[in-house]
Amino acid sequence: MAVPKRRVSKTRAAKRRTHYKITLAAPIKDKDGTWRLPHHSNKFTGEYKKK
């Protein structure tokens, strides 16, 4: 079983955790000028993947 030989400092643990972040989905502008989230249908036209 893997056991740490020494205690991980607060600074070292915080540096490792800096990469754990949430990225928000960027909205997409459709041809009709409305904005929508990726992988969602257009609220006004009901179009999804040009169908």
Side-chain angles (χ1 to χ4, degrees):
M1 192 168 137
V3 179
K5 207 164 214 178
R6 294 170 191 223
R7 181 175 184 271
V8 177
S9 69
K10 293 175 193 172
T11 306
R12 190 171 180 90
K15 283 179 185 177
R16 184 177 58 246
R17 289 191 197 106
T18 58
H19 302 290
Y20 302 160
K21 54 190 164 207
I22 298 171
T23 56
L24 297 174
I28 299 169
K29 193 170 187 177
D30 283 333
K31 290 178 185 175
D32 60 346
T34 58
W35 292 90
R36 66 175 179 85
L37 290 174
H39 305 285
H40 285 72
S41 63
N42 191 327
K43 289 181 185 177
F44 303 102
T45 61
E47 189 175 87
Y48 182 70
K49 288 194 175 181
K50 300 176 185 170
K51 294 180 184 174

